[in-house]
Amino acid sequence: MKRLVVLASGRGSNFKAILDEIKAGNINGEIVAVISDHHDAKALDIARENEIEAIFGNGKAPEYNDWLLGTVKTYEPDYILLAGYMRIVPKAFVEAFAGRIINIHPALLPSFKGLHGQRQALEYGVKIAGCTVHYVDEGMDTGRIIAQRAVEVKDDDTEETLSARILEQEHKLYPAVVKALCE
Ligand code: GAR
């Protein structure tokens, strides 16, 4: 069984999608901790409801970075899954877990990096949007791509409707990648 640590800043729906597949016995891994930089993140509630260690931590560099690195290390993870984690991962963290940090981004990288990938896609006027699961390197959303799913943009899409359809695909893509990594 692979040991998985999740970093999440908010709602936690991608974390939940992965957890559901683990609970269904479809992924050969276990989530050993969920760490959030927001004390009221829904992701922490979901973790607690499922008897997974839920850890809140926040602060400024370098203290926060040291704390995060030290805390994650204690769990000896095989993979660290960023699931709506809205901070840049520090260099020392990327180095410590090289090739083992995975992120999901709501756009077809390398387009529309950073915040609000769905809004950027709509504003640009692309006809195909989507989501990407990729390794995390020192850049922002620049690491090697593992898998992508495309979503058609409709003429009457708003940021909300497009985001919702992309999220549906995120919930399929991320668990599928985690399943593959754990095999
Ligand atoms: C997801 O859409 C994810 O792709 C995005 O945040 C949302 C988190 O939702 N991540 C980024 O934008 C990272 N740059 P969730 O908390 O319900 O999984």
Side-chain angles (χ1 to χ4, degrees), residues 57-71 87 90:
N58 203 340
K60 292 200 180 113
E63 290 82 7
Y64 174 79
N65 295 353
D66 293 345
W67 172 82
L68 185 67
L69 181 57
T71 303
R87 283 184 174 229

Side-chain angles (χ1 to χ4, degrees), residues 52-143:
I52 296 168
E53 282 205 47
I55 301 158
F56 160 70
N58 203 340
K60 292 200 180 113
E63 290 82 7
Y64 174 79
N65 295 353
D66 293 345
W67 172 82
L68 185 67
L69 181 57
T71 303
V72 172
K73 270 187 179 162
T74 62
Y75 289 96
E76 301 183 343
D78 293 293
Y79 290 103
I80 296 143
L81 309 176
L82 309 190
Y85 181 66
M86 294 315 208
R87 283 184 174 229
I88 302 280
V89 179
K91 186 170 184 281
F93 192 92
V94 174
E95 284 170 1
F97 301 108
R100 291 190 283 149
I101 312 169
I102 316 295
N103 182 43
I104 185 152
H105 182 73
L108 292 177
L109 293 173
S111 296
F112 312 128
K113 300 182 175 91
L115 290 177
H116 309 299
Q118 309 95 325
R119 186 191 303 170
Q120 293 183 56
L122 265 187
E123 285 174 353
Y124 196 93
V126 295
K127 301 301 175 195
I128 305 285
C131 50
T132 303
V133 175
H134 64 96
Y135 289 102
V136 172
D137 65 10
E138 283 170 30
M140 190 178 55
D141 301 325
T142 54

Side-chain angles (χ1 to χ4, degrees), residues 2-6 18 22 27 29-33 77-81 178 182:
K2 299 291 185 198
R3 295 171 63 79
L4 310 169
V5 166
V6 171
I18 294 164
I22 289 175
I27 294 177
E30 76 172 309
I31 297 173
V32 292
D78 293 293
Y79 290 103
I80 296 143
L81 309 176
V178 174
C182 288

